[in-house]
Amino acid sequence: MAFHSIVLPLILAAAPADAAAERTMSFNIPAQNMATSLNEFGRQAGVQMVFPYDVVVGQRSAPLKGRFTRSQALRRLIAGRGMAISLESRSIISLAAAPASPVSDISGAEARSGGQDIVVTAQKRQEDLSKVPQAITVVSGEEVEKRRIVDFASMVDEVPGLSINYGFGGESYGLLSIRGIGGADDYKPNGSPSVALHLDGVYQSSNAYLGMPLFDIERIEVLRGPQGTLYGRNSTAGVVNAITRGGSDSFDGYVDARYGSYDSMRAEAAIGGRVGENVRVRLAVMTDQGGGFMDGKGAGDLAGARLSVGGVVQTQVPAITDPGARKGFGDKDLFAARGTVDIEFAPETTLTLKAFGSRDRGDARQYDRLSAAQDSSVLNAGEDSDPYSFYSSQYYDQSIDIKGVSAQFSHLLNDSTRLDMVVGAQSSQREVGGNGDGTPYPQYEYLFDENLSQASFELRLRNEQQGRFNWLVGGFFMSDKIDYTSEWKSWAARTIYQNIHDQRRRSGALFGQVDYEVVSGVRLTGGLRYTSDQVDSKGRNVDLNPWGISNYQAFFATTPNFSWDKQFKDDDVSGRAAAQWFINEDLNVFASVARGYRSGGFDGTSILTPEETEPFQSETVWAYEAGVRYLKGPLRLSLDAFANDFSNLQATTRLANDTNGRTNVGKARTRGIEGALNLRLVNSSAHQLDFDASGTYLYSEITEFKSNRIADVTSTVGDPLPGAPKWTGRVGLVHTYSFGEGWSLSSRANIFYHGKESNRLNALPGNTAQAYTLLNARIELQSPHGWSVYATGRNITDEVYFPELNGASRMVGAPATYAVGARFSF
């Protein structure tokens, strides 16, 4: 055993803390080999440095220049380098490999307590999470796997303050909201989501990418509230950024497979390492199969029914077909892969290339209807009260292909300035059909055929090493092309009609942010972003009239078969200002004010009238926030209060001509409080017990509603926003028992509560989903040989809940599901 591993703890245990270590001192250490920098740090700080060679080998430090306390300087020197302070005394500092951080949430999710630093890139530079003056949730890759977070949408029941609404396309057309903003967005692919999704720093321009599979994840960062400076475009609710794993210095990988309820099977595998002196690679693959928990009963009472007009059966109109019964509908059929190449051209010049693709041929998520006793309309095929069974004239599947490439380039121009570039290009092709009414009756039966492509480029310059004054400037450009056709079969209008859309968008931005420590412990941050947007929309409305009896003109009170060719342009200056006071190393508080902007554009739903082809205007928000952070040993505590005021609120609502369209409906406000407590209750040689609790209280209100219908105005003003549950929260326990010699048994249980929420503007009781509570658990046996076995349970109380209600139709959440699995890491 090494000498210092025996003697060092005894020395440090007896050594009193040195008050002088908290005084600021001057440091000037150039970028160089990390071992050399650490020894130079020790010389300038007057301490002896002890660190394992295998942790620093191949590492190069960033430059360190300025006045800091000893702790501040060392944290900056090792930030993002995979090291943590192990022991510290008056004269000796010991470093060790940083432990993998599970989860931390500065505003409401969970972290195991332990006082470790958690490095994030929320402000587009690596920094300690506890020092960032905004509300952020970070979920590590380990927690992503253990919590079964498989896409952006599945984070909803894991992170308080998040919610999701579904459009007519069901699960394929979700609308993610944060703090109540986003639930009123357009479900079609040409919309601009309020929650800006990013994958490896690449902006995802459409909610079509919400269902993108997540696997082999390093971490997920959720930035709450408007991000008007560094992210800017269409981020009035916040940002979700998923960072995937890259190549490692040594050869490693894993295989993970599980089998569960309803014949579900998911498998992941990854392998990577160095393939040359300066090249690292990684390949990750996954598949997700089965899991359908709905039972189809065919067309029921409506089998063979035909359209009747004035009592005359229209024999030229095909009858409703009966596809027969089908058990286990809703199966997944998903494959995905990602390849990564990390190239180190020089110690401070790196290039990361990623290519990914996914293929989804699974069943489309199905709505069912209320029982016939509750719903006596012609649309009901004889439903019973079972929410897990449904009637349909066909069993819809989906075809979704997503592929793309990205590149991240980083170069140290000199000892103080770094250049970062992020380039991405991707596309999506999807065909999805269904019936949003949950019935075999073709009232509004749809088939969506969509093709999307996008390209983006971002360039940033920043100071390399954080100090008293920090700065960042950059530019962003994005272009996307969206071509899609919406086809609707409607017995109500006695026809089949199409909307054929062709949309082009271009968006550019210049942005900058600075922060300055005006006096010791007090830091001011300010940033601005100029954004310019242009949207070109072309399209046509076509009444196909295949049966020669179309009632389109009378039914929709409009003239069909029209076209449009229109343009929208706008620009805006948004930004953010914040003040932060580090009361001591453990406690800091901040307050901020920000202005967010979301581009206007064009409706993407069914264009039935020329009125719906007019552009809607940009949405803006003023956001105010204050928070406190406390991190001391085994305790992590955070509390945030926020207020948002929206103008020109964008939403899909009923227009003056009785059709639904995307428009500016008025003003709204949200107010709320978020809190999180993370505490290690037990920390012995054999047992560790961690407790976490987090939650969000949200008040939302529509304060002004624009409509020619007085009844709509009076019924809507004062309503909550869609996708804005008043209460969401999570409580969890994680226990680990170490047998010795590397064997351990870990168990976890968490309860998640999601409050009642409306799904629409002008919401009726049939559009308000009731609150639900989910209990999830996991137990895992880990061996010292790299393998583990585990069992999981989700919604183990078998609660019946509905993420979406649409009048008499409803989408039911998954019942109790269980799985067993095994993992081998090498």
Side-chain angles (χ1 to χ4, degrees), residues 330-352:
D331 280 347
K332 293 184 177 182
D333 183 5
L334 176 64
F335 295 89
R338 181 189 308 110
T340 303
V341 179
D342 295 315
I343 305 172
E344 189 179 72
F345 295 104
E348 290 298 342
T349 303
T350 61
L351 174 65
T352 297

Side-chain angles (χ1 to χ4, degrees), residues 145-146 148 255-268 777-781 788-794 817-823:
E145 182 269 325
K146 293 186 186 312
R148 295 167 66 176
V255 177
D256 191 317
R258 63 173 179 252
Y259 177 81
S261 303
Y262 304 101
D263 290 326
S264 65
M265 191 277 287
R266 181 180 174 92
E268 290 185 28
R778 177 186 174 106
I779 186 168
E780 182 173 13
L781 175 66
S788 65
V789 292
Y790 59 87
T792 67
R794 189 172 182 84
T817 56
Y818 302 90
V820 294
R823 184 181 182 92

Side-chain angles (χ1 to χ4, degrees), residues 700-727:
S700 67
E701 180 186 18
I702 299 172
T703 58
E704 177 183 298
F705 188 75
K706 298 176 182 178
S707 174
N708 294 329
R709 300 175 178 275
I710 302 302
D712 284 357
V713 174
T714 56
S715 65
T716 303
V717 171
D719 281 359
L721 287 165
K726 184 170 288 187
W727 292 99

Side-chain angles (χ1 to χ4, degrees), residues 169-322:
E171 195 173 46
S172 301
Y173 290 85
L175 307 172
L176 198 64
S177 64
I178 299 177
R179 292 178 173 176
I181 304 303
D185 288 352
D186 187 352
Y187 70 88
K188 293 302 291 170
N190 69 320
S192 298
S194 301
V195 178
L197 300 179
H198 291 71
L199 182 66
D200 291 317
V202 177
Y203 173 64
Q204 311 293 297
S205 64
S206 171
N207 60 21
Y209 299 110
L210 184 64
M212 183 183 296
L214 299 178
F215 59 102
D216 199 36
I217 296 296
E218 179 180 316
R219 68 181 183 277
I220 300 174
E221 299 177 359
V222 180
L223 285 65
R224 301 166 183 266
Q227 306 295 315
T229 303
L230 299 181
Y231 293 88
R233 186 178 192 274
N234 302 335
S235 59
T236 47
V239 171
V240 179
N241 187 18
I243 296 99
T244 63
R245 290 177 178 148
S248 57
D249 287 327
S250 57
F251 176 78
D252 66 3
Y254 70 91
V255 177
D256 191 317
R258 63 173 179 252
Y259 177 81
S261 303
Y262 304 101
D263 290 326
S264 65
M265 191 277 287
R266 181 180 174 92
E268 290 185 28
I271 188 171
R274 284 195 178 273
V275 295
E277 183 178 356
N278 300 316
V279 179
R280 297 176 297 178
V281 299
R282 188 174 184 88
L283 175 65
V285 296
M286 64 82 65
T287 182
D288 208 344
Q289 303 289 317
F293 56 84
M294 299 287 286
D295 290 333
K297 295 187 174 182
D301 296 344
L302 292 175
R306 288 183 179 272
L307 175 62
S308 176
V309 179
V312 179
V313 174
Q314 306 298 302
T315 57
Q316 75 274 32
V317 179
I320 295 175
T321 58
D322 189 347

Side-chain angles (χ1 to χ4, degrees), residues 415-538:
D415 285 348
S416 60
T417 306
R418 178 169 290 276
L419 168 70
D420 294 310
M421 288 191 294
V422 180
V423 180
Q426 65 189 54
S427 64
S428 170
Q429 294 81 40
R430 63 180 184 174
E431 295 182 8
V432 181
N435 191 329
D437 292 324
T439 172
Y441 192 91
Q443 180 85 344
Y444 295 108
E445 195 174 275
Y446 60 82
L447 177 64
F448 298 152
D449 185 356
E450 304 164 354
N451 290 277
L452 295 78
S453 61
Q454 71 166 68
S456 63
F457 172 78
E458 182 165 319
L459 182 146
R460 301 187 298 270
L461 290 171
R462 60 179 172 87
N463 65 309
E464 167 65 4
Q465 183 63 44
Q466 292 188 78
R468 186 173 182 182
F469 176 74
N470 304 299
W471 58 271
L472 183 152
V473 296
F476 168 83
F477 178 78
M478 185 278 300
S479 173
D480 68 355
K481 175 183 177 182
I482 306 166
D483 299 325
Y484 64 101
T485 299
S486 301
E487 182 175 286
W488 300 81
K489 179 192 293 185
S490 173
W491 278 13
R494 307 201 296 256
T495 189
I496 297 175
Y497 57 93
Q498 293 179 335
N499 284 165
I500 302 170
H501 298 255
D502 180 350
Q503 180 175 285
R504 306 290 183 271
R505 289 187 294 202
R506 293 165 295 282
S507 180
L510 298 173
F511 57 88
Q513 179 171 297
V514 298
D515 63 78
Y516 179 64
E517 189 175 16
V518 291
V519 297
S520 180
V522 177
R523 184 170 292 276
L524 301 180
T525 300
L528 291 173
R529 186 182 187 101
Y530 170 77
T531 305
S532 176
D533 284 296
Q534 178 175 322
V535 186
D536 300 306
S537 177
K538 298 180 181 179

Side-chain angles (χ1 to χ4, degrees), residues 108-113 143 147 158 160 677-681 689-695 729-735 747-753 774-777:
E110 307 68 34
R112 289 187 201 169
S113 306
E143 289 292 300
R147 295 191 190 185
E158 294 294 336
L677 170 66
N678 310 281
L679 179 63
R680 176 153 290 172
L681 300 174
L689 180 62
D690 297 311
F691 169 79
D692 59 72
S694 58
R730 185 180 187 276
V731 176
L733 282 172
V734 179
H735 176 258
S747 59
R748 61 174 58 212
N750 67 270
I751 299 173
F752 188 89
Y753 174 81
L774 301 180
L775 173 60
N776 306 326

